[in-house]
Amino acid sequence: ASDVYKRQEVCARNAAFKDINSQQWIKLLQANVSAPLYLTQCLLPLLQDSQSASIVFTTSRTAEEISPDCGTHIISKKAQLGMMELLSVELAGSPIRVNAVNAGETNVSFQLGEEHADDLVSVNDPAIVTPAYVYLMAEESIDVHGEVLKIA
């Protein structure tokens, strides 16, 4: 840009990208956005043939709370939450309900740094989180659509 413009006075940005490297960006977007999108697209025809189907996304506290240490993760989880919300509107009135589970506080490697990856601790034990998924997949939640179940 410096060979085209003599000076720069303004920089408009939509997110905090200062510490995001391209490998981290691609990895998290593939895991949190692309994979759920492609999997859902692949399974949607089968789910549409069901009498009562359920799509459950997994989100986290970073989709609701901004933390400066988690830029890429926040963006990817907000995209996933938006995907869930859009899909729930698109499938309204169909036999497919679309919801999400906010699994709550979880420590993950990008927050601790790769050198501490072996120290990962899930604050919410799977035994606490699993019932929310089971509920959203069961007939008991037939009228639940477009919701996020938050695990404290």
Side-chain angles (χ1 to χ4, degrees):
S2 62
D3 56 342
V4 176
Y5 300 103
K6 301 293 180 206
R7 66 177 198 228
Q8 180 69 38
E9 295 179 5
V10 176
C11 177
R13 301 182 340 190
N14 291 333
F17 292 105
K18 70 176 189 166
D19 295 326
I20 298 173
N21 67 54
S22 61
Q23 290 174 338
Q24 181 186 37
W25 176 258
I26 290 167
K27 185 177 178 181
L28 276 170
L29 285 181
Q30 285 177 337
N32 291 335
V33 182
S34 297
L37 171 70
Y38 298 142
L39 180 62
T40 302
Q41 286 177 328
C42 180
L43 294 176
L44 205 51
L46 295 171
L47 293 168
Q48 288 172 329
D49 289 340
S50 174
Q51 297 289 326
S52 174
S54 181
I55 298 171
V56 182
F57 287 87
T58 300
T59 188
S60 68
R61 69 173 181 81
T62 58
E64 299 174 7
E65 302 171 17
I66 301 297
S67 173
D69 302 349
C70 307
T72 307
H73 190 68
I74 290 168
I75 293 165
S76 70
K77 285 299 188 177
K78 284 190 174 288
Q80 191 179 78
L81 188 57
M83 192 176 355
M84 183 279 295
E85 291 169 344
L86 176 61
L87 196 55
S88 71
V89 170
E90 288 181 349
L91 295 176
S94 81
I96 305 171
R97 25 189 219 287
V98 183
N99 297 287
V101 172
N102 177 337
E105 181 74 31
T106 304
N107 293 329
V108 292
S109 63
F110 71 87
Q111 291 171 313
L112 297 175
E114 292 301 323
E115 67 276 10
H116 299 291
D118 293 334
D119 300 331
L120 299 180
V121 176
S122 174
V123 177
N124 281 330
D125 186 274
I128 294 171
V129 178
T130 302
Y133 289 95
V134 172
Y135 168 74
L136 290 174
M137 293 176 201
E139 292 296 316
E140 300 158 317
S141 67
I142 195 110
D143 295 323
V144 180
H145 190 68
E147 300 293 327
V148 178
L149 298 187
K150 188 174 183 177
I151 309 299

PDB file of all heavy atoms in Angstrom, residues 22-38 72 76 80 83:
ATOM      1  N   SER A  22      -2.416 -17.083   9.969  1.00  0.00           N
ATOM      2  CA  SER A  22      -3.249 -17.707   8.937  1.00  0.00           C
ATOM      3  C   SER A  22      -3.485 -19.194   9.190  1.00  0.00           C
ATOM      4  O   SER A  22      -4.565 -19.707   8.908  1.00  0.00           O
ATOM      5  CB  SER A  22      -2.639 -17.497   7.550  1.00  0.00           C
ATOM      6  OG  SER A  22      -1.361 -18.077   7.475  1.00  0.00           O
ATOM      7  N   GLN A  23      -2.520 -19.912   9.748  1.00  0.00           N
ATOM      8  CA  GLN A  23      -2.719 -21.340  10.031  1.00  0.00           C
ATOM      9  C   GLN A  23      -3.780 -21.538  11.107  1.00  0.00           C
ATOM     10  O   GLN A  23      -4.639 -22.412  10.990  1.00  0.00           O
ATOM     11  CB  GLN A  23      -1.405 -21.990  10.453  1.00  0.00           C
ATOM     12  CG  GLN A  23      -0.423 -22.108   9.317  1.00  0.00           C
ATOM     13  CD  GLN A  23       0.918 -22.618   9.786  1.00  0.00           C
ATOM     14  OE1 GLN A  23       1.279 -22.518  10.945  1.00  0.00           O
ATOM     15  NE2 GLN A  23       1.675 -23.184   8.844  1.00  0.00           N
ATOM     16  N   GLN A  24      -3.734 -20.723  12.154  1.00  0.00           N
ATOM     17  CA  GLN A  24      -4.729 -20.800  13.225  1.00  0.00           C
ATOM     18  C   GLN A  24      -6.109 -20.448  12.675  1.00  0.00           C
ATOM     19  O   GLN A  24      -7.097 -21.102  12.985  1.00  0.00           O
ATOM     20  CB  GLN A  24      -4.339 -19.839  14.347  1.00  0.00           C
ATOM     21  CG  GLN A  24      -5.274 -19.854  15.531  1.00  0.00           C
ATOM     22  CD  GLN A  24      -4.912 -18.781  16.539  1.00  0.00           C
ATOM     23  OE1 GLN A  24      -4.511 -17.683  16.176  1.00  0.00           O
ATOM     24  NE2 GLN A  24      -5.070 -19.105  17.818  1.00  0.00           N
ATOM     25  N   TRP A  25      -6.170 -19.411  11.860  1.00  0.00           N
ATOM     26  CA  TRP A  25      -7.427 -18.962  11.251  1.00  0.00           C
ATOM     27  C   TRP A  25      -8.067 -20.091  10.447  1.00  0.00           C
ATOM     28  O   TRP A  25      -9.231 -20.421  10.640  1.00  0.00           O
ATOM     29  CB  TRP A  25      -7.132 -17.750  10.372  1.00  0.00           C
ATOM     30  CG  TRP A  25      -8.279 -17.222   9.594  1.00  0.00           C
ATOM     31  CD1 TRP A  25      -8.534 -17.417   8.278  1.00  0.00           C
ATOM     32  CD2 TRP A  25      -9.337 -16.393  10.089  1.00  0.00           C
ATOM     33  NE1 TRP A  25      -9.682 -16.766   7.913  1.00  0.00           N
ATOM     34  CE2 TRP A  25     -10.194 -16.124   9.008  1.00  0.00           C
ATOM     35  CE3 TRP A  25      -9.639 -15.858  11.332  1.00  0.00           C
ATOM     36  CZ2 TRP A  25     -11.339 -15.346   9.134  1.00  0.00           C
ATOM     37  CZ3 TRP A  25     -10.769 -15.069  11.456  1.00  0.00           C
ATOM     38  CH2 TRP A  25     -11.604 -14.827  10.362  1.00  0.00           C
ATOM     39  N   ILE A  26      -7.301 -20.686   9.550  1.00  0.00           N
ATOM     40  CA  ILE A  26      -7.823 -21.745   8.686  1.00  0.00           C
ATOM     41  C   ILE A  26      -8.251 -22.960   9.508  1.00  0.00           C
ATOM     42  O   ILE A  26      -9.326 -23.519   9.290  1.00  0.00           O
ATOM     43  CB  ILE A  26      -6.771 -22.138   7.620  1.00  0.00           C
ATOM     44  CG1 ILE A  26      -6.619 -20.988   6.613  1.00  0.00           C
ATOM     45  CG2 ILE A  26      -7.147 -23.428   6.911  1.00  0.00           C
ATOM     46  CD1 ILE A  26      -5.415 -21.119   5.703  1.00  0.00           C
ATOM     47  N   LYS A  27      -7.441 -23.349  10.476  1.00  0.00           N
ATOM     48  CA  LYS A  27      -7.740 -24.532  11.298  1.00  0.00           C
ATOM     49  C   LYS A  27      -9.048 -24.360  12.076  1.00  0.00           C
ATOM     50  O   LYS A  27      -9.905 -25.241  12.066  1.00  0.00           O
ATOM     51  CB  LYS A  27      -6.581 -24.776  12.251  1.00  0.00           C
ATOM     52  CG  LYS A  27      -6.697 -26.035  13.071  1.00  0.00           C
ATOM     53  CD  LYS A  27      -5.445 -26.212  13.923  1.00  0.00           C
ATOM     54  CE  LYS A  27      -5.546 -27.440  14.788  1.00  0.00           C
ATOM     55  NZ  LYS A  27      -4.354 -27.611  15.628  1.00  0.00           N
ATOM     56  N   LEU A  28      -9.220 -23.232  12.722  1.00  0.00           N
ATOM     57  CA  LEU A  28     -10.437 -23.021  13.513  1.00  0.00           C
ATOM     58  C   LEU A  28     -11.666 -22.820  12.639  1.00  0.00           C
ATOM     59  O   LEU A  28     -12.747 -23.303  12.971  1.00  0.00           O
ATOM     60  CB  LEU A  28     -10.267 -21.846  14.473  1.00  0.00           C
ATOM     61  CG  LEU A  28      -9.576 -22.216  15.780  1.00  0.00           C
ATOM     62  CD1 LEU A  28      -9.211 -20.984  16.593  1.00  0.00           C
ATOM     63  CD2 LEU A  28     -10.438 -23.151  16.604  1.00  0.00           C
ATOM     64  N   LEU A  29     -11.532 -22.137  11.525  1.00  0.00           N
ATOM     65  CA  LEU A  29     -12.685 -21.979  10.630  1.00  0.00           C
ATOM     66  C   LEU A  29     -13.093 -23.314  10.024  1.00  0.00           C
ATOM     67  O   LEU A  29     -14.286 -23.586   9.859  1.00  0.00           O
ATOM     68  CB  LEU A  29     -12.399 -20.957   9.537  1.00  0.00           C
ATOM     69  CG  LEU A  29     -12.413 -19.496   9.986  1.00  0.00           C
ATOM     70  CD1 LEU A  29     -12.137 -18.575   8.807  1.00  0.00           C
ATOM     71  CD2 LEU A  29     -13.713 -19.120  10.656  1.00  0.00           C
ATOM     72  N   GLN A  30     -12.120 -24.154   9.701  1.00  0.00           N
ATOM     73  CA  GLN A  30     -12.455 -25.477   9.175  1.00  0.00           C
ATOM     74  C   GLN A  30     -13.180 -26.312  10.223  1.00  0.00           C
ATOM     75  O   GLN A  30     -14.168 -26.974   9.918  1.00  0.00           O
ATOM     76  CB  GLN A  30     -11.193 -26.203   8.698  1.00  0.00           C
ATOM     77  CG  GLN A  30     -10.667 -25.679   7.389  1.00  0.00           C
ATOM     78  CD  GLN A  30      -9.373 -26.352   6.971  1.00  0.00           C
ATOM     79  OE1 GLN A  30      -8.636 -26.884   7.785  1.00  0.00           O
ATOM     80  NE2 GLN A  30      -9.090 -26.298   5.681  1.00  0.00           N
ATOM     81  N   ALA A  31     -12.704 -26.267  11.460  1.00  0.00           N
ATOM     82  CA  ALA A  31     -13.301 -27.084  12.520  1.00  0.00           C
ATOM     83  C   ALA A  31     -14.658 -26.549  12.962  1.00  0.00           C
ATOM     84  O   ALA A  31     -15.593 -27.327  13.171  1.00  0.00           O
ATOM     85  CB  ALA A  31     -12.364 -27.148  13.721  1.00  0.00           C
ATOM     86  N   ASN A  32     -14.784 -25.249  13.120  1.00  0.00           N
ATOM     87  CA  ASN A  32     -15.984 -24.677  13.724  1.00  0.00           C
ATOM     88  C   ASN A  32     -17.017 -24.142  12.741  1.00  0.00           C
ATOM     89  O   ASN A  32     -18.163 -23.916  13.132  1.00  0.00           O
ATOM     90  CB  ASN A  32     -15.602 -23.556  14.697  1.00  0.00           C
ATOM     91  CG  ASN A  32     -14.904 -24.083  15.919  1.00  0.00           C
ATOM     92  OD1 ASN A  32     -15.073 -25.225  16.303  1.00  0.00           O
ATOM     93  ND2 ASN A  32     -14.096 -23.252  16.537  1.00  0.00           N
ATOM     94  N   VAL A  33     -16.633 -23.946  11.491  1.00  0.00           N
ATOM     95  CA  VAL A  33     -17.582 -23.403  10.513  1.00  0.00           C
ATOM     96  C   VAL A  33     -17.743 -24.349   9.317  1.00  0.00           C
ATOM     97  O   VAL A  33     -18.844 -24.811   9.032  1.00  0.00           O
ATOM     98  CB  VAL A  33     -17.174 -21.989  10.037  1.00  0.00           C
ATOM     99  CG1 VAL A  33     -18.196 -21.429   9.073  1.00  0.00           C
ATOM    100  CG2 VAL A  33     -17.002 -21.047  11.233  1.00  0.00           C
ATOM    101  N   SER A  34     -16.666 -24.653   8.648  1.00  0.00           N
ATOM    102  CA  SER A  34     -16.763 -25.475   7.438  1.00  0.00           C
ATOM    103  C   SER A  34     -17.256 -26.887   7.725  1.00  0.00           C
ATOM    104  O   SER A  34     -18.162 -27.379   7.037  1.00  0.00           O
ATOM    105  CB  SER A  34     -15.403 -25.541   6.725  1.00  0.00           C
ATOM    106  OG  SER A  34     -15.011 -24.255   6.306  1.00  0.00           O
ATOM    107  N   ALA A  35     -16.686 -27.553   8.713  1.00  0.00           N
ATOM    108  CA  ALA A  35     -17.089 -28.933   9.010  1.00  0.00           C
ATOM    109  C   ALA A  35     -18.572 -29.040   9.371  1.00  0.00           C
ATOM    110  O   ALA A  35     -19.283 -29.876   8.798  1.00  0.00           O
ATOM    111  CB  ALA A  35     -16.210 -29.526  10.106  1.00  0.00           C
ATOM    112  N   PRO A  36     -19.089 -28.198  10.294  1.00  0.00           N
ATOM    113  CA  PRO A  36     -20.534 -28.287  10.581  1.00  0.00           C
ATOM    114  C   PRO A  36     -21.402 -27.960   9.364  1.00  0.00           C
ATOM    115  O   PRO A  36     -22.448 -28.579   9.165  1.00  0.00           O
ATOM    116  CB  PRO A  36     -20.756 -27.262  11.695  1.00  0.00           C
ATOM    117  CG  PRO A  36     -19.426 -27.067  12.313  1.00  0.00           C
ATOM    118  CD  PRO A  36     -18.432 -27.279  11.220  1.00  0.00           C
ATOM    119  N   LEU A  37     -20.967 -27.010   8.545  1.00  0.00           N
ATOM    120  CA  LEU A  37     -21.719 -26.660   7.341  1.00  0.00           C
ATOM    121  C   LEU A  37     -21.797 -27.844   6.389  1.00  0.00           C
ATOM    122  O   LEU A  37     -22.887 -28.243   5.969  1.00  0.00           O
ATOM    123  CB  LEU A  37     -21.078 -25.465   6.631  1.00  0.00           C
ATOM    124  CG  LEU A  37     -21.649 -25.154   5.248  1.00  0.00           C
ATOM    125  CD1 LEU A  37     -23.061 -24.592   5.353  1.00  0.00           C
ATOM    126  CD2 LEU A  37     -20.745 -24.212   4.494  1.00  0.00           C
ATOM    127  N   TYR A  38     -20.654 -28.436   6.062  1.00  0.00           N
ATOM    128  CA  TYR A  38     -20.624 -29.534   5.098  1.00  0.00           C
ATOM    129  C   TYR A  38     -21.328 -30.780   5.639  1.00  0.00           C
ATOM    130  O   TYR A  38     -22.033 -31.466   4.892  1.00  0.00           O
ATOM    131  CB  TYR A  38     -19.188 -29.862   4.686  1.00  0.00           C
ATOM    132  CG  TYR A  38     -18.485 -28.713   4.007  1.00  0.00           C
ATOM    133  CD1 TYR A  38     -17.144 -28.448   4.240  1.00  0.00           C
ATOM    134  CD2 TYR A  38     -19.160 -27.861   3.129  1.00  0.00           C
ATOM    135  CE1 TYR A  38     -16.496 -27.389   3.623  1.00  0.00           C
ATOM    136  CE2 TYR A  38     -18.523 -26.797   2.516  1.00  0.00           C
ATOM    137  CZ  TYR A  38     -17.187 -26.568   2.761  1.00  0.00           C
ATOM    138  OH  TYR A  38     -16.551 -25.522   2.153  1.00  0.00           O
ATOM    139  N   THR A  72      -9.750 -15.588  17.010  1.00  0.00           N
ATOM    140  CA  THR A  72     -10.164 -16.516  15.970  1.00  0.00           C
ATOM    141  C   THR A  72     -11.302 -17.413  16.451  1.00  0.00           C
ATOM    142  O   THR A  72     -12.268 -17.658  15.735  1.00  0.00           O
ATOM    143  CB  THR A  72      -8.981 -17.400  15.533  1.00  0.00           C
ATOM    144  OG1 THR A  72      -7.888 -16.566  15.177  1.00  0.00           O
ATOM    145  CG2 THR A  72      -9.352 -18.272  14.360  1.00  0.00           C
ATOM    146  N   SER A  76     -15.100 -17.739  14.898  1.00  0.00           N
ATOM    147  CA  SER A  76     -15.602 -19.016  14.390  1.00  0.00           C
ATOM    148  C   SER A  76     -16.848 -19.472  15.145  1.00  0.00           C
ATOM    149  O   SER A  76     -17.782 -20.007  14.541  1.00  0.00           O
ATOM    150  CB  SER A  76     -14.510 -20.085  14.455  1.00  0.00           C
ATOM    151  OG  SER A  76     -14.209 -20.456  15.783  1.00  0.00           O
ATOM    152  N   GLN A  80     -20.662 -20.001  13.762  1.00  0.00           N
ATOM    153  CA  GLN A  80     -21.410 -21.239  13.972  1.00  0.00           C
ATOM    154  C   GLN A  80     -22.776 -20.948  14.598  1.00  0.00           C
ATOM    155  O   GLN A  80     -23.783 -21.529  14.197  1.00  0.00           O
ATOM    156  CB  GLN A  80     -20.608 -22.182  14.866  1.00  0.00           C
ATOM    157  CG  GLN A  80     -21.184 -23.574  14.919  1.00  0.00           C
ATOM    158  CD  GLN A  80     -20.355 -24.474  15.780  1.00  0.00           C
ATOM    159  OE1 GLN A  80     -20.465 -24.396  16.999  1.00  0.00           O
ATOM    160  NE2 GLN A  80     -19.528 -25.296  15.170  1.00  0.00           N
ATOM    161  N   MET A  83     -24.948 -19.652  11.952  1.00  0.00           N
ATOM    162  CA  MET A  83     -25.375 -20.748  11.086  1.00  0.00           C
ATOM    163  C   MET A  83     -26.558 -21.479  11.710  1.00  0.00           C
ATOM    164  O   MET A  83     -27.532 -21.801  11.031  1.00  0.00           O
ATOM    165  CB  MET A  83     -24.195 -21.708  10.864  1.00  0.00           C
ATOM    166  CG  MET A  83     -24.421 -22.706   9.786  1.00  0.00           C
ATOM    167  SD  MET A  83     -23.012 -23.814   9.388  1.00  0.00           S
ATOM    168  CE  MET A  83     -21.660 -23.257  10.352  1.00  0.00           C
TER     169      MET A  83
END
